[in-house]
Amino acid sequence: NMFDSDLPVEMIIELTQNKVGKAFNMFGKNLESGIKQMVSLSLQRSTIDWQTLIRRFAGATIKGEKYLTPLKPNRRYENQPGWKYEYKSQLAIIMDTSASIIEEELNQFISEIEKISKHDTEITLIQVDESVTLVTEYKSGKWKDLEIHGGGETNLQPAVDLAQSQTRVEGIIIFTDGHVDVPVVKRRVLFVLSSKHNPEFIEDAIKIYGKNSVVVLK
């Protein structure tokens, strides 16, 4: 497994605000995909009303963990608390970590993923460049020690196929800069484009999935 191997070089990315450009490649062309990036993440304020979007988008139809509550009496034993089900949306979040993604965009993406995690959601986070590089569960606060794997070419389809193989997933949210073909998605999908995105991707996504399928980060 390449993730377990000791890489000969530690890659630390330092970008100043005025030095951000789309041509920047995290690793250079000669390195294979799936390399762990050492990036310094800093959360930004969210620009999106996720509660409304998730409600419209996912529907929260899956029963989550059941827990004891004194609010609902147990039918069998009068003084005992009853079981109540907590409903959570099952979401797959795909994060583009290809070479065209810069640290500023990673911060944008992770800020929004953290915001999503604060609503009643169960999140499978799938990182992808030209293939799936890492799959993890994401819970609130995980951004502090999140490992980013990527740096290769871009192809979102392998991550979409993996997400769709999970039967419980109600919706798929895809974070990308749009420097890639629009993938074929058969579940409810929302594309979240970074502020430095490719406008042609938005046009194509809207033609296929409708105007409510795209959100752009400021």
mmCIF file of all heavy atoms in Angstrom, residues 50 57 91-97 109 113 116 125-126 128 154-157 159-161 163-164 171-178 180-194 201 209 213-217:
data_model
loop_
_atom_site.group_PDB
_atom_site.id
_atom_site.type_symbol
_atom_site.label_atom_id
_atom_site.label_comp_id
_atom_site.label_asym_id
_atom_site.label_seq_id
_atom_site.Cartn_x
_atom_site.Cartn_y
_atom_site.Cartn_z
ATOM 1 N N TRP A 50 -26.271 25.544 4.505
ATOM 2 C CA TRP A 50 -26.274 24.099 4.300
ATOM 3 C C TRP A 50 -27.527 23.436 4.834
ATOM 4 O O TRP A 50 -27.982 22.424 4.285
ATOM 5 C CB TRP A 50 -25.032 23.481 4.936
ATOM 6 C CG TRP A 50 -23.819 23.693 4.088
ATOM 7 C CD1 TRP A 50 -22.744 24.489 4.361
ATOM 8 C CD2 TRP A 50 -23.577 23.140 2.788
ATOM 9 N NE1 TRP A 50 -21.853 24.454 3.314
ATOM 10 C CE2 TRP A 50 -22.336 23.642 2.346
ATOM 11 C CE3 TRP A 50 -24.291 22.270 1.957
ATOM 12 C CZ2 TRP A 50 -21.786 23.288 1.110
ATOM 13 C CZ3 TRP A 50 -23.758 21.930 0.734
ATOM 14 C CH2 TRP A 50 -22.522 22.435 0.320
ATOM 15 N N PHE A 57 -32.042 18.479 -0.445
ATOM 16 C CA PHE A 57 -31.197 17.655 -1.286
ATOM 17 C C PHE A 57 -31.184 16.190 -0.862
ATOM 18 O O PHE A 57 -31.232 15.296 -1.679
ATOM 19 C CB PHE A 57 -29.805 18.277 -1.211
ATOM 20 C CG PHE A 57 -28.697 17.465 -1.774
ATOM 21 C CD1 PHE A 57 -28.574 17.302 -3.126
ATOM 22 C CD2 PHE A 57 -27.754 16.898 -0.948
ATOM 23 C CE1 PHE A 57 -27.527 16.573 -3.656
ATOM 24 C CE2 PHE A 57 -26.707 16.172 -1.467
ATOM 25 C CZ PHE A 57 -26.600 16.004 -2.823
ATOM 26 N N LEU A 91 -24.688 11.092 3.491
ATOM 27 C CA LEU A 91 -24.103 11.817 2.369
ATOM 28 C C LEU A 91 -22.728 11.276 2.016
ATOM 29 O O LEU A 91 -21.951 10.914 2.895
ATOM 30 C CB LEU A 91 -23.954 13.307 2.710
ATOM 31 C CG LEU A 91 -25.218 14.092 3.043
ATOM 32 C CD1 LEU A 91 -24.858 15.517 3.421
ATOM 33 C CD2 LEU A 91 -26.184 14.088 1.871
ATOM 34 N N ALA A 92 -22.450 11.236 0.722
ATOM 35 C CA ALA A 92 -21.075 11.020 0.266
ATOM 36 C C ALA A 92 -20.559 12.373 -0.203
ATOM 37 O O ALA A 92 -21.219 13.054 -0.996
ATOM 38 C CB ALA A 92 -21.028 10.007 -0.875
ATOM 39 N N ILE A 93 -19.425 12.783 0.327
ATOM 40 C CA ILE A 93 -18.802 14.028 -0.113
ATOM 41 C C ILE A 93 -17.522 13.677 -0.850
ATOM 42 O O ILE A 93 -16.653 12.978 -0.316
ATOM 43 C CB ILE A 93 -18.514 14.965 1.073
ATOM 44 C CG1 ILE A 93 -19.836 15.413 1.709
ATOM 45 C CG2 ILE A 93 -17.699 16.184 0.606
ATOM 46 C CD1 ILE A 93 -19.673 16.380 2.857
ATOM 47 N N ILE A 94 -17.441 14.137 -2.096
ATOM 48 C CA ILE A 94 -16.263 13.889 -2.925
ATOM 49 C C ILE A 94 -15.440 15.166 -2.974
ATOM 50 O O ILE A 94 -15.975 16.236 -3.278
ATOM 51 C CB ILE A 94 -16.684 13.454 -4.341
ATOM 52 C CG1 ILE A 94 -17.390 12.085 -4.273
ATOM 53 C CG2 ILE A 94 -15.479 13.415 -5.289
ATOM 54 C CD1 ILE A 94 -18.071 11.673 -5.560
ATOM 55 N N MET A 95 -14.161 15.066 -2.641
ATOM 56 C CA MET A 95 -13.286 16.236 -2.660
ATOM 57 C C MET A 95 -12.187 16.031 -3.698
ATOM 58 O O MET A 95 -11.404 15.092 -3.610
ATOM 59 C CB MET A 95 -12.687 16.483 -1.274
ATOM 60 C CG MET A 95 -11.864 17.766 -1.216
ATOM 61 S SD MET A 95 -11.478 18.292 0.474
ATOM 62 C CE MET A 95 -10.325 17.034 0.995
ATOM 63 N N ASP A 96 -12.165 16.916 -4.678
ATOM 64 C CA ASP A 96 -11.141 16.923 -5.725
ATOM 65 C C ASP A 96 -9.817 17.340 -5.091
ATOM 66 O O ASP A 96 -9.699 18.433 -4.540
ATOM 67 C CB ASP A 96 -11.606 17.931 -6.796
ATOM 68 C CG ASP A 96 -10.661 18.044 -7.988
ATOM 69 O OD1 ASP A 96 -9.529 17.547 -7.914
ATOM 70 O OD2 ASP A 96 -11.074 18.664 -8.988
ATOM 71 N N THR A 97 -8.822 16.448 -5.144
ATOM 72 C CA THR A 97 -7.490 16.768 -4.594
ATOM 73 C C THR A 97 -6.424 16.648 -5.684
ATOM 74 O O THR A 97 -5.275 16.317 -5.411
ATOM 75 C CB THR A 97 -7.135 15.831 -3.416
ATOM 76 O OG1 THR A 97 -7.172 14.479 -3.867
ATOM 77 C CG2 THR A 97 -8.096 16.008 -2.250
ATOM 78 N N PHE A 109 -12.935 24.231 0.650
ATOM 79 C CA PHE A 109 -13.685 22.968 0.640
ATOM 80 C C PHE A 109 -13.878 22.436 2.054
ATOM 81 O O PHE A 109 -14.987 22.061 2.445
ATOM 82 C CB PHE A 109 -12.934 21.916 -0.194
ATOM 83 C CG PHE A 109 -12.870 22.197 -1.678
ATOM 84 C CD1 PHE A 109 -12.037 21.458 -2.488
ATOM 85 C CD2 PHE A 109 -13.645 23.201 -2.260
ATOM 86 C CE1 PHE A 109 -11.970 21.701 -3.861
ATOM 87 C CE2 PHE A 109 -13.580 23.452 -3.622
ATOM 88 C CZ PHE A 109 -12.738 22.703 -4.425
ATOM 89 N N ILE A 113 -17.174 21.526 4.328
ATOM 90 C CA ILE A 113 -17.427 20.157 4.794
ATOM 91 C C ILE A 113 -17.621 20.149 6.308
ATOM 92 O O ILE A 113 -18.498 19.458 6.838
ATOM 93 C CB ILE A 113 -16.278 19.223 4.365
ATOM 94 C CG1 ILE A 113 -16.271 19.075 2.832
ATOM 95 C CG2 ILE A 113 -16.400 17.851 5.038
ATOM 96 C CD1 ILE A 113 -15.028 18.421 2.267
ATOM 97 N N ILE A 116 -21.096 21.351 6.995
ATOM 98 C CA ILE A 116 -22.078 20.296 6.704
ATOM 99 C C ILE A 116 -22.143 19.301 7.858
ATOM 100 O O ILE A 116 -23.216 18.841 8.250
ATOM 101 C CB ILE A 116 -21.711 19.559 5.393
ATOM 102 C CG1 ILE A 116 -21.840 20.493 4.188
ATOM 103 C CG2 ILE A 116 -22.607 18.338 5.184
ATOM 104 C CD1 ILE A 116 -21.223 19.943 2.901
ATOM 105 N N LEU A 125 -16.314 10.719 3.345
ATOM 106 C CA LEU A 125 -15.499 11.651 2.566
ATOM 107 C C LEU A 125 -14.590 10.850 1.635
ATOM 108 O O LEU A 125 -13.809 10.006 2.079
ATOM 109 C CB LEU A 125 -14.663 12.525 3.498
ATOM 110 C CG LEU A 125 -13.726 13.539 2.823
ATOM 111 C CD1 LEU A 125 -14.508 14.540 1.976
ATOM 112 C CD2 LEU A 125 -12.878 14.274 3.863
ATOM 113 N N ILE A 126 -14.723 11.121 0.332
ATOM 114 C CA ILE A 126 -13.941 10.419 -0.681
ATOM 115 C C ILE A 126 -13.014 11.422 -1.355
ATOM 116 O O ILE A 126 -13.482 12.392 -1.958
ATOM 117 C CB ILE A 126 -14.859 9.768 -1.737
ATOM 118 C CG1 ILE A 126 -15.864 8.815 -1.059
ATOM 119 C CG2 ILE A 126 -14.027 9.015 -2.785
ATOM 120 C CD1 ILE A 126 -16.957 8.323 -1.986
ATOM 121 N N VAL A 128 -10.233 12.299 -4.274
ATOM 122 C CA VAL A 128 -9.977 11.758 -5.610
ATOM 123 C C VAL A 128 -9.109 12.706 -6.421
ATOM 124 O O VAL A 128 -9.246 13.926 -6.334
ATOM 125 C CB VAL A 128 -11.315 11.479 -6.351
ATOM 126 C CG1 VAL A 128 -12.089 12.768 -6.618
ATOM 127 C CG2 VAL A 128 -11.111 10.701 -7.653
ATOM 128 N N THR A 154 -6.985 14.727 -13.045
ATOM 129 C CA THR A 154 -8.314 14.801 -12.446
ATOM 130 C C THR A 154 -9.316 13.923 -13.180
ATOM 131 O O THR A 154 -9.442 13.999 -14.394
ATOM 132 C CB THR A 154 -8.859 16.245 -12.486
ATOM 133 O OG1 THR A 154 -7.813 17.150 -12.176
ATOM 134 C CG2 THR A 154 -9.981 16.435 -11.484
ATOM 135 N N ASN A 155 -10.046 13.078 -12.430
ATOM 136 C CA ASN A 155 -11.177 12.324 -12.955
ATOM 137 C C ASN A 155 -12.110 12.035 -11.788
ATOM 138 O O ASN A 155 -11.762 11.278 -10.883
ATOM 139 C CB ASN A 155 -10.702 11.012 -13.605
ATOM 140 C CG ASN A 155 -11.852 10.211 -14.194
ATOM 141 O OD1 ASN A 155 -12.992 10.681 -14.241
ATOM 142 N ND2 ASN A 155 -11.563 9.005 -14.635
ATOM 143 N N LEU A 156 -13.281 12.673 -11.787
ATOM 144 C CA LEU A 156 -14.212 12.524 -10.662
ATOM 145 C C LEU A 156 -14.999 11.212 -10.715
ATOM 146 O O LEU A 156 -15.542 10.778 -9.699
ATOM 147 C CB LEU A 156 -15.197 13.700 -10.645
ATOM 148 C CG LEU A 156 -14.587 15.090 -10.410
ATOM 149 C CD1 LEU A 156 -15.640 16.172 -10.618
ATOM 150 C CD2 LEU A 156 -13.981 15.198 -9.012
ATOM 151 N N GLN A 157 -15.073 10.580 -11.887
ATOM 152 C CA GLN A 157 -15.959 9.425 -12.056
ATOM 153 C C GLN A 157 -15.661 8.255 -11.110
ATOM 154 O O GLN A 157 -16.597 7.655 -10.565
ATOM 155 C CB GLN A 157 -15.938 8.954 -13.517
ATOM 156 C CG GLN A 157 -17.105 8.029 -13.873
ATOM 157 C CD GLN A 157 -18.455 8.724 -13.769
ATOM 158 O OE1 GLN A 157 -18.641 9.817 -14.298
ATOM 159 N NE2 GLN A 157 -19.391 8.108 -13.067
ATOM 160 N N ALA A 159 -14.669 8.251 -8.084
ATOM 161 C CA ALA A 159 -15.224 8.572 -6.763
ATOM 162 C C ALA A 159 -16.750 8.502 -6.787
ATOM 163 O O ALA A 159 -17.380 8.027 -5.834
ATOM 164 C CB ALA A 159 -14.762 9.961 -6.321
ATOM 165 N N VAL A 160 -17.360 8.980 -7.884
ATOM 166 C CA VAL A 160 -18.823 8.913 -8.019
ATOM 167 C C VAL A 160 -19.274 7.450 -8.036
ATOM 168 O O VAL A 160 -20.232 7.068 -7.351
ATOM 169 C CB VAL A 160 -19.293 9.639 -9.297
ATOM 170 C CG1 VAL A 160 -20.765 9.367 -9.570
ATOM 171 C CG2 VAL A 160 -19.039 11.135 -9.180
ATOM 172 N N ASP A 161 -18.558 6.610 -8.800
ATOM 173 C CA ASP A 161 -18.917 5.190 -8.875
ATOM 174 C C ASP A 161 -18.836 4.536 -7.502
ATOM 175 O O ASP A 161 -19.711 3.736 -7.126
ATOM 176 C CB ASP A 161 -17.991 4.454 -9.851
ATOM 177 C CG ASP A 161 -18.182 4.918 -11.291
ATOM 178 O OD1 ASP A 161 -19.216 5.564 -11.580
ATOM 179 O OD2 ASP A 161 -17.287 4.655 -12.123
ATOM 180 N N ALA A 163 -19.123 6.078 -4.556
ATOM 181 C CA ALA A 163 -20.207 6.629 -3.731
ATOM 182 C C ALA A 163 -21.537 5.950 -4.063
ATOM 183 O O ALA A 163 -22.330 5.633 -3.171
ATOM 184 C CB ALA A 163 -20.313 8.135 -3.943
ATOM 185 N N GLN A 164 -21.782 5.711 -5.348
ATOM 186 C CA GLN A 164 -23.050 5.115 -5.767
ATOM 187 C C GLN A 164 -23.138 3.627 -5.431
ATOM 188 O O GLN A 164 -24.230 3.073 -5.393
ATOM 189 C CB GLN A 164 -23.262 5.339 -7.274
ATOM 190 C CG GLN A 164 -23.515 6.795 -7.574
ATOM 191 C CD GLN A 164 -23.712 7.115 -9.036
ATOM 192 O OE1 GLN A 164 -24.324 8.122 -9.359
ATOM 193 N NE2 GLN A 164 -23.205 6.301 -9.941
ATOM 194 N N GLY A 171 -27.413 11.247 -1.119
ATOM 195 C CA GLY A 171 -26.994 12.327 -1.994
ATOM 196 C C GLY A 171 -25.483 12.415 -2.046
ATOM 197 O O GLY A 171 -24.781 11.927 -1.145
ATOM 198 N N ILE A 172 -24.980 13.012 -3.126
ATOM 199 C CA ILE A 172 -23.538 13.154 -3.331
ATOM 200 C C ILE A 172 -23.221 14.633 -3.514
ATOM 201 O O ILE A 172 -23.843 15.312 -4.344
ATOM 202 C CB ILE A 172 -23.084 12.359 -4.574
ATOM 203 C CG1 ILE A 172 -23.383 10.862 -4.391
ATOM 204 C CG2 ILE A 172 -21.590 12.577 -4.843
ATOM 205 C CD1 ILE A 172 -23.150 10.029 -5.635
ATOM 206 N N ILE A 173 -22.290 15.147 -2.721
ATOM 207 C CA ILE A 173 -21.826 16.532 -2.844
ATOM 208 C C ILE A 173 -20.392 16.478 -3.354
ATOM 209 O O ILE A 173 -19.554 15.778 -2.773
ATOM 210 C CB ILE A 173 -21.902 17.271 -1.498
ATOM 211 C CG1 ILE A 173 -23.353 17.282 -0.980
ATOM 212 C CG2 ILE A 173 -21.394 18.706 -1.644
ATOM 213 C CD1 ILE A 173 -23.515 17.899 0.401
ATOM 214 N N ILE A 174 -20.119 17.179 -4.449
ATOM 215 C CA ILE A 174 -18.805 17.113 -5.083
ATOM 216 C C ILE A 174 -18.135 18.482 -5.037
ATOM 217 O O ILE A 174 -18.656 19.454 -5.588
ATOM 218 C CB ILE A 174 -18.924 16.636 -6.542
ATOM 219 C CG1 ILE A 174 -19.570 15.240 -6.589
ATOM 220 C CG2 ILE A 174 -17.543 16.639 -7.226
ATOM 221 C CD1 ILE A 174 -19.843 14.717 -7.994
ATOM 222 N N PHE A 175 -16.992 18.573 -4.363
ATOM 223 C CA PHE A 175 -16.204 19.803 -4.288
ATOM 224 C C PHE A 175 -15.106 19.733 -5.339
ATOM 225 O O PHE A 175 -14.280 18.813 -5.316
ATOM 226 C CB PHE A 175 -15.581 19.956 -2.898
ATOM 227 C CG PHE A 175 -16.564 20.325 -1.819
ATOM 228 C CD1 PHE A 175 -17.321 19.355 -1.183
ATOM 229 C CD2 PHE A 175 -16.737 21.657 -1.457
ATOM 230 C CE1 PHE A 175 -18.230 19.700 -0.196
ATOM 231 C CE2 PHE A 175 -17.649 22.004 -0.463
ATOM 232 C CZ PHE A 175 -18.398 21.033 0.170
ATOM 233 N N THR A 176 -15.079 20.697 -6.260
ATOM 234 C CA THR A 176 -14.094 20.668 -7.346
ATOM 235 C C THR A 176 -13.830 22.078 -7.857
ATOM 236 O O THR A 176 -14.612 23.006 -7.602
ATOM 237 C CB THR A 176 -14.591 19.767 -8.501
ATOM 238 O OG1 THR A 176 -13.607 19.739 -9.542
ATOM 239 C CG2 THR A 176 -15.909 20.265 -9.077
ATOM 240 N N ASP A 177 -12.717 22.239 -8.607
ATOM 241 C CA ASP A 177 -12.466 23.517 -9.275
ATOM 242 C C ASP A 177 -13.029 23.509 -10.693
ATOM 243 O O ASP A 177 -12.966 24.500 -11.406
ATOM 244 C CB ASP A 177 -10.965 23.844 -9.290
ATOM 245 C CG ASP A 177 -10.142 22.799 -10.042
ATOM 246 O OD1 ASP A 177 -10.715 21.810 -10.541
ATOM 247 O OD2 ASP A 177 -8.907 22.969 -10.115
ATOM 248 N N GLY A 178 -13.578 22.363 -11.124
ATOM 249 C CA GLY A 178 -14.212 22.289 -12.434
ATOM 250 C C GLY A 178 -13.256 22.112 -13.598
ATOM 251 O O GLY A 178 -13.687 22.154 -14.743
ATOM 252 N N VAL A 180 -12.191 19.625 -15.112
ATOM 253 C CA VAL A 180 -12.427 18.189 -15.265
ATOM 254 C C VAL A 180 -13.754 18.023 -15.996
ATOM 255 O O VAL A 180 -14.577 18.944 -16.027
ATOM 256 C CB VAL A 180 -12.485 17.514 -13.857
ATOM 257 C CG1 VAL A 180 -13.624 18.077 -13.023
ATOM 258 C CG2 VAL A 180 -12.585 16.001 -13.955
ATOM 259 N N ASP A 181 -13.965 16.861 -16.604
ATOM 260 C CA ASP A 181 -15.264 16.582 -17.229
ATOM 261 C C ASP A 181 -16.334 16.394 -16.150
ATOM 262 O O ASP A 181 -16.054 15.850 -15.075
ATOM 263 C CB ASP A 181 -15.182 15.296 -18.071
ATOM 264 C CG ASP A 181 -14.305 15.479 -19.305
ATOM 265 O OD1 ASP A 181 -14.170 16.632 -19.769
ATOM 266 O OD2 ASP A 181 -13.741 14.483 -19.783
ATOM 267 N N VAL A 182 -17.568 16.801 -16.470
ATOM 268 C CA VAL A 182 -18.687 16.580 -15.547
ATOM 269 C C VAL A 182 -18.958 15.069 -15.478
ATOM 270 O O VAL A 182 -19.144 14.427 -16.510
ATOM 271 C CB VAL A 182 -19.954 17.326 -16.028
ATOM 272 C CG1 VAL A 182 -21.131 17.015 -15.115
ATOM 273 C CG2 VAL A 182 -19.698 18.828 -16.077
ATOM 274 N N PRO A 183 -18.959 14.475 -14.278
ATOM 275 C CA PRO A 183 -19.157 13.022 -14.180
ATOM 276 C C PRO A 183 -20.623 12.639 -14.383
ATOM 277 O O PRO A 183 -21.516 13.473 -14.301
ATOM 278 C CB PRO A 183 -18.706 12.710 -12.748
ATOM 279 C CG PRO A 183 -18.988 13.962 -11.986
ATOM 280 C CD PRO A 183 -18.760 15.092 -12.952
ATOM 281 N N VAL A 184 -20.844 11.359 -14.640
ATOM 282 C CA VAL A 184 -22.201 10.811 -14.748
ATOM 283 C C VAL A 184 -22.638 10.391 -13.352
ATOM 284 O O VAL A 184 -22.036 9.502 -12.738
ATOM 285 C CB VAL A 184 -22.225 9.599 -15.697
ATOM 286 C CG1 VAL A 184 -23.627 9.000 -15.758
ATOM 287 C CG2 VAL A 184 -21.743 9.999 -17.085
ATOM 288 N N VAL A 185 -23.683 11.043 -12.822
ATOM 289 C CA VAL A 185 -24.153 10.774 -11.462
ATOM 290 C C VAL A 185 -25.612 10.342 -11.522
ATOM 291 O O VAL A 185 -26.441 11.015 -12.133
ATOM 292 C CB VAL A 185 -24.018 12.021 -10.561
ATOM 293 C CG1 VAL A 185 -24.262 11.648 -9.103
ATOM 294 C CG2 VAL A 185 -22.656 12.675 -10.715
ATOM 295 N N LYS A 186 -25.925 9.230 -10.862
ATOM 296 C CA LYS A 186 -27.295 8.712 -10.888
ATOM 297 C C LYS A 186 -28.037 8.947 -9.578
ATOM 298 O O LYS A 186 -29.185 8.552 -9.446
ATOM 299 C CB LYS A 186 -27.264 7.220 -11.222
ATOM 300 C CG LYS A 186 -26.782 6.976 -12.650
ATOM 301 C CD LYS A 186 -26.546 5.513 -12.931
ATOM 302 C CE LYS A 186 -26.030 5.333 -14.353
ATOM 303 N NZ LYS A 186 -25.347 4.065 -14.543
ATOM 304 N N ARG A 187 -27.384 9.568 -8.610
ATOM 305 C CA ARG A 187 -28.053 9.954 -7.355
ATOM 306 C C ARG A 187 -28.265 11.463 -7.387
ATOM 307 O O ARG A 187 -27.772 12.153 -8.260
ATOM 308 C CB ARG A 187 -27.182 9.599 -6.150
ATOM 309 C CG ARG A 187 -26.830 8.147 -6.008
ATOM 310 C CD ARG A 187 -27.949 7.338 -5.387
ATOM 311 N NE ARG A 187 -27.617 5.908 -5.423
ATOM 312 C CZ ARG A 187 -27.017 5.254 -4.450
ATOM 313 N NH1 ARG A 187 -26.654 5.908 -3.358
ATOM 314 N NH2 ARG A 187 -26.777 3.968 -4.543
ATOM 315 N N ARG A 188 -28.963 11.955 -6.360
ATOM 316 C CA ARG A 188 -29.062 13.419 -6.247
ATOM 317 C C ARG A 188 -27.664 13.985 -6.029
ATOM 318 O O ARG A 188 -26.911 13.483 -5.211
ATOM 319 C CB ARG A 188 -29.980 13.790 -5.081
ATOM 320 C CG ARG A 188 -31.454 13.741 -5.463
ATOM 321 C CD ARG A 188 -32.344 13.986 -4.277
ATOM 322 N NE ARG A 188 -32.462 12.777 -3.464
ATOM 323 C CZ ARG A 188 -33.354 12.632 -2.483
ATOM 324 N NH1 ARG A 188 -34.168 13.622 -2.186
ATOM 325 N NH2 ARG A 188 -33.426 11.517 -1.802
ATOM 326 N N VAL A 189 -27.350 15.034 -6.778
ATOM 327 C CA VAL A 189 -25.971 15.534 -6.750
ATOM 328 C C VAL A 189 -25.946 17.048 -6.630
ATOM 329 O O VAL A 189 -26.832 17.746 -7.136
ATOM 330 C CB VAL A 189 -25.190 15.084 -8.014
ATOM 331 C CG1 VAL A 189 -25.783 15.696 -9.286
ATOM 332 C CG2 VAL A 189 -23.695 15.414 -7.908
ATOM 333 N N LEU A 190 -24.933 17.546 -5.917
ATOM 334 C CA LEU A 190 -24.685 18.975 -5.830
ATOM 335 C C LEU A 190 -23.197 19.195 -6.083
ATOM 336 O O LEU A 190 -22.351 18.574 -5.427
ATOM 337 C CB LEU A 190 -25.054 19.503 -4.436
ATOM 338 C CG LEU A 190 -24.818 20.994 -4.208
ATOM 339 C CD1 LEU A 190 -25.805 21.835 -5.021
ATOM 340 C CD2 LEU A 190 -24.934 21.337 -2.733
ATOM 341 N N PHE A 191 -22.886 20.037 -7.057
ATOM 342 C CA PHE A 191 -21.496 20.396 -7.340
ATOM 343 C C PHE A 191 -21.184 21.706 -6.631
ATOM 344 O O PHE A 191 -21.923 22.689 -6.779
ATOM 345 C CB PHE A 191 -21.276 20.566 -8.849
ATOM 346 C CG PHE A 191 -21.498 19.308 -9.634
ATOM 347 C CD1 PHE A 191 -22.702 19.065 -10.267
ATOM 348 C CD2 PHE A 191 -20.484 18.354 -9.730
ATOM 349 C CE1 PHE A 191 -22.904 17.896 -10.990
ATOM 350 C CE2 PHE A 191 -20.680 17.187 -10.456
ATOM 351 C CZ PHE A 191 -21.902 16.950 -11.087
ATOM 352 N N VAL A 192 -20.109 21.720 -5.847
ATOM 353 C CA VAL A 192 -19.679 22.935 -5.151
ATOM 354 C C VAL A 192 -18.366 23.373 -5.780
ATOM 355 O O VAL A 192 -17.349 22.672 -5.681
ATOM 356 C CB VAL A 192 -19.513 22.694 -3.637
ATOM 357 C CG1 VAL A 192 -19.160 24.000 -2.936
ATOM 358 C CG2 VAL A 192 -20.790 22.106 -3.042
ATOM 359 N N LEU A 193 -18.389 24.528 -6.447
ATOM 360 C CA LEU A 193 -17.221 25.007 -7.190
ATOM 361 C C LEU A 193 -16.445 26.020 -6.362
ATOM 362 O O LEU A 193 -17.029 26.887 -5.716
ATOM 363 C CB LEU A 193 -17.671 25.662 -8.498
ATOM 364 C CG LEU A 193 -17.949 24.766 -9.728
ATOM 365 C CD1 LEU A 193 -16.663 24.147 -10.237
ATOM 366 C CD2 LEU A 193 -18.963 23.684 -9.434
ATOM 367 N N SER A 194 -15.123 25.914 -6.402
ATOM 368 C CA SER A 194 -14.271 26.878 -5.712
ATOM 369 C C SER A 194 -14.382 28.241 -6.381
ATOM 370 O O SER A 194 -14.838 28.356 -7.524
ATOM 371 C CB SER A 194 -12.817 26.403 -5.731
ATOM 372 O OG SER A 194 -12.362 26.273 -7.064
ATOM 373 N N PHE A 201 -17.444 24.274 -16.702
ATOM 374 C CA PHE A 201 -17.968 23.135 -15.942
ATOM 375 C C PHE A 201 -19.379 23.442 -15.452
ATOM 376 O O PHE A 201 -20.268 22.587 -15.499
ATOM 377 C CB PHE A 201 -17.049 22.838 -14.752
ATOM 378 C CG PHE A 201 -17.458 21.631 -13.942
ATOM 379 C CD1 PHE A 201 -16.874 20.396 -14.171
ATOM 380 C CD2 PHE A 201 -18.419 21.736 -12.942
ATOM 381 C CE1 PHE A 201 -17.240 19.284 -13.424
ATOM 382 C CE2 PHE A 201 -18.799 20.629 -12.200
ATOM 383 C CZ PHE A 201 -18.207 19.399 -12.441
ATOM 384 N N TYR A 209 -27.828 18.559 -15.160
ATOM 385 C CA TYR A 209 -28.470 18.301 -13.863
ATOM 386 C C TYR A 209 -29.381 19.432 -13.374
ATOM 387 O O TYR A 209 -29.993 19.299 -12.322
ATOM 388 C CB TYR A 209 -27.394 18.016 -12.797
ATOM 389 C CG TYR A 209 -26.539 16.823 -13.129
ATOM 390 C CD1 TYR A 209 -25.225 16.980 -13.570
ATOM 391 C CD2 TYR A 209 -27.042 15.532 -13.020
ATOM 392 C CE1 TYR A 209 -24.439 15.884 -13.895
ATOM 393 C CE2 TYR A 209 -26.257 14.433 -13.335
ATOM 394 C CZ TYR A 209 -24.961 14.610 -13.778
ATOM 395 O OH TYR A 209 -24.182 13.522 -14.106
ATOM 396 N N SER A 213 -28.216 22.355 -9.261
ATOM 397 C CA SER A 213 -27.179 21.342 -9.005
ATOM 398 C C SER A 213 -25.814 21.959 -8.730
ATOM 399 O O SER A 213 -24.867 21.238 -8.441
ATOM 400 C CB SER A 213 -27.064 20.411 -10.227
ATOM 401 O OG SER A 213 -26.542 21.123 -11.347
ATOM 402 N N VAL A 214 -25.702 23.293 -8.800
ATOM 403 C CA VAL A 214 -24.401 23.943 -8.680
ATOM 404 C C VAL A 214 -24.442 25.078 -7.648
ATOM 405 O O VAL A 214 -25.377 25.870 -7.639
ATOM 406 C CB VAL A 214 -23.924 24.506 -10.041
ATOM 407 C CG1 VAL A 214 -22.606 25.250 -9.882
ATOM 408 C CG2 VAL A 214 -23.782 23.404 -11.077
ATOM 409 N N VAL A 215 -23.419 25.105 -6.800
ATOM 410 C CA VAL A 215 -23.210 26.204 -5.864
ATOM 411 C C VAL A 215 -21.769 26.685 -6.058
ATOM 412 O O VAL A 215 -20.869 25.873 -6.251
ATOM 413 C CB VAL A 215 -23.401 25.741 -4.399
ATOM 414 C CG1 VAL A 215 -23.049 26.854 -3.425
ATOM 415 C CG2 VAL A 215 -24.814 25.278 -4.155
ATOM 416 N N VAL A 216 -21.557 27.994 -6.037
ATOM 417 C CA VAL A 216 -20.210 28.539 -6.197
ATOM 418 C C VAL A 216 -19.783 29.203 -4.893
ATOM 419 O O VAL A 216 -20.524 30.015 -4.329
ATOM 420 C CB VAL A 216 -20.159 29.558 -7.365
ATOM 421 C CG1 VAL A 216 -18.751 30.141 -7.488
ATOM 422 C CG2 VAL A 216 -20.576 28.894 -8.665
ATOM 423 N N LEU A 217 -18.593 28.860 -4.416
ATOM 424 C CA LEU A 217 -18.065 29.478 -3.197
ATOM 425 C C LEU A 217 -17.535 30.863 -3.509
ATOM 426 O O LEU A 217 -16.928 31.080 -4.551
ATOM 427 C CB LEU A 217 -16.957 28.608 -2.601
ATOM 428 C CG LEU A 217 -17.380 27.204 -2.186
ATOM 429 C CD1 LEU A 217 -16.172 26.410 -1.719
ATOM 430 C CD2 LEU A 217 -18.442 27.250 -1.107
#
